[in-house]
Amino acid sequence: MTKNTTYDALALFSAGLDSLLSAKVLQAQGLRVKCLHFVTPFFGHPGRVRGWRKTYGLDIDVVNIGDDYVQMMLDKPKYGFGKYYNPCVDCKIIMLRHTRQLLEKYGATFIATGEVVGQRPMSQRRDAMNSVINESDTEGLLLRPLCAKTLPPTPMEESGLVDRERLHGISGRGRKDQLRLAEEFGITDIPTPAGGCRLTEQASACRYAPVFQHHPAPTAQDFYLSNVGRQYWAGTHWLTIGRDQHSNEMIRRNITETDLVFDVVGYPGPLALGRQFTGAWTEDAVRDAAAFMASFSPKARRAETDITVTVTQGDTEHTVTIYPSRETALGWKECTWQDAIPTRNAMDPKKR
Ligand code: SF4
């Protein structure tokens, strides 16, 4: 991260079109803008930042707030969720709180976001936008360059630091004005609308719900794991099974000291990871998981005989001999949206 450099603005940069334009609008006034790309297990693409810097000509830093974000979810988001696990109002609040704390570090005066009044049903209604300002303590510090002209002037405009005349008065859900503006800036690589937040997706909600339901104290690391491969649960037993080479690699990257790593011997097959978070699994549970994960190796299954699976935890390794099977005593299941709804609703203050 850059240090001791003075910027005029810190701009929240999701890489969506609105956040991109918001930074560009300020840059076009000659203001010095540092973009912040927030990363959690649920959204953010730190690996793309280098490309965006080049494509869009922006100065972008990554800010990882994964554990704070998970804690916010565990504390039950005050403004509740959207359709799935997306706490959009609380999400904006937590990002702005972090940005506010970074103003001094970057020597910046104010914060910019790409919000547009009325664009998103949950977080961009006028009352929600006011709650965001109040709760993040950014009154007088927050500028929304794309819709500023629909809002009262901010101190940054009144002081002359920002030229209000060169800000915009966009409102509503359409993208026409934004696309016109993108053309003015010569942006040809237009980001797709609102992509990239897993909390807005049903499939991801089904991955996260059992972690919230069963894990007494999950961290960001647990949710990174829940994004990987196939997710199976049997009560508090959690098994991640690789789907392909990439997810096997992701599993390897997520292994902790207490995890059980299952690997089929003698047949090509997936890697599987059992996360022990309520104490050690019994040997029966280990054998059950081994039989289940081995059933994802077609060749091991077709062998129709007992096979060997290595089970590694930290520096210790042992083998179990099992018959590959999808039907085991523990009854491994993938979480469906119907299964996930009660957990999600119990975490939503609006639903209780
Ligand atoms: S869509 Fe996701 S990243 Fe965007 S505000 Fe909502 S929760 Fe946050």
Side-chain angles (χ1 to χ4, degrees):
M1 279 207 186
T2 317
K3 271 189 180 162
N4 303 325
T5 309
T6 301
Y7 291 90
D8 295 302
L10 295 183
L12 269 60
F13 182 76
S14 66
L17 180 58
D18 291 351
S19 68
L20 166 58
L21 290 173
S22 155
K24 285 299 212 186
V25 165
L26 297 179
Q27 221 182 29
Q29 294 200 9
L31 291 160
R32 292 158 303 170
V33 181
K34 169 65 86 177
C35 295
L36 302 181
H37 182 64
F38 283 88
V39 172
T40 72
F42 314 114
F43 54 80
H45 300 282
R48 295 199 199 151
V49 164
R50 188 190 290 218
W52 291 331
R53 285 188 191 122
K54 218 168 136 206
T55 309
Y56 301 129
L58 292 171
D59 182 356
I60 310 166
D61 277 356
V62 170
V63 183
N64 193 318
I65 55 165
D67 282 326
D68 284 353
Y69 203 94
V70 168
Q71 193 55 51
M72 177 269 282
M73 299 283 269
L74 294 172
D75 291 341
K76 301 189 170 85
K78 181 172 172 184
Y79 294 90
F81 294 116
K83 196 166 178 193
Y84 297 110
Y85 261 118
N86 48 316
C88 292
V89 178
D90 293 82
C91 178
K92 290 268 161 61
I93 291 168
I94 194 171
M95 287 197 270
L96 283 173
R97 276 194 196 140
H98 272 270
T99 308
R100 189 182 191 287
Q101 283 164 9
L102 290 170
L103 281 171
E104 196 182 344
K105 174 182 169 186
Y106 287 102
T109 310
F110 70 97
I111 301 168
T113 69
E115 289 161 294
V116 168
V117 178
Q119 186 175 73
R120 298 269 161 83
M122 186 173 179
S123 60
Q124 296 186 20
R125 293 190 323 261
R126 208 174 277 262
D127 57 334
M129 288 170 81
N130 289 335
S131 303
V132 166
I133 289 191
N134 294 335
E135 300 253 357
S136 61
D137 198 16
T138 50
E139 177 78 55
L141 293 174
L142 183 60
L143 182 74
R144 287 139 167 162
L146 300 188
C147 65
K149 283 183 170 169
T150 70
L151 300 167
T154 60
M156 293 71 81
E157 294 155 90
E158 282 168 342
S159 71
L161 174 62
V162 177
D163 181 356
R164 184 172 170 87
E165 284 317 302
R166 296 176 68 189
L167 300 178
H168 297 268
I170 302 174
S171 64
R173 305 194 69 161
R175 294 227 309 166
K176 229 174 51 212
D177 292 334
Q178 284 93 322
L179 291 173
R180 181 186 43 75
L181 204 51
E183 203 179 325
E184 273 175 33
F185 285 120
I187 299 169
T188 47
D189 199 345
I190 307 281
T192 50
C197 176
R198 296 189 177 98
L199 295 167
T200 61
E201 299 165 357
Q202 190 181 98
S204 294
C206 296
R207 291 172 174 270
Y208 303 144
V211 185
F212 283 123
Q213 185 186 354
H214 296 298
H215 199 310
T219 64
Q221 217 276 338
D222 293 302
F223 290 97
Y224 278 114
L225 178 64
S226 72
N227 286 328
V228 176
R230 301 176 170 94
Q231 295 288 310
Y232 284 95
W233 287 80
T236 56
H237 295 95
W238 174 13
L239 193 61
T240 299
I241 303 179
R243 225 184 248 291
D244 48 29
Q245 213 175 344
H246 175 71
S247 53
N248 283 345
E249 183 48 38
M250 295 307 289
I251 287 176
R252 272 200 191 89
R253 282 194 215 164
N254 272 284
I255 297 170
T256 69
E257 273 294 295
T258 51
D259 289 336
L260 298 168
V261 183
F262 298 83
D263 203 357
V264 175
V265 178
Y267 298 96
L271 205 63
L273 185 153
R275 179 144 292 177
Q276 307 182 103
F277 55 83
T278 52
W281 291 9
T282 64
E283 193 55 21
D284 280 350
V286 170
R287 293 177 59 79
D288 193 295
F292 186 70
M293 66 77 63
S295 74
F296 289 85
S297 161
K299 287 197 171 156
R301 220 176 42 233
R302 277 200 299 273
E304 293 189 351
T305 182
D306 284 356
I307 63 148
T308 304
V309 173
T310 59
V311 185
T312 311
Q313 183 189 339
D315 294 334
T316 60
E317 181 181 302
H318 74 287
T319 57
V320 291
T321 304
I322 46 78
Y323 192 89
S325 173
R326 291 286 161 95
E327 307 291 324
T328 68
L330 280 180
W332 298 97
K333 265 191 73 188
E334 278 179 303
C335 176
T336 65
W337 177 234
Q338 282 310 310
D339 301 329
I341 290 172
T343 306
R344 177 218 172 274
N345 289 354
M347 292 170 66
D348 188 338
K350 289 185 314 185
K351 297 271 178 191
R352 284 175 299 140

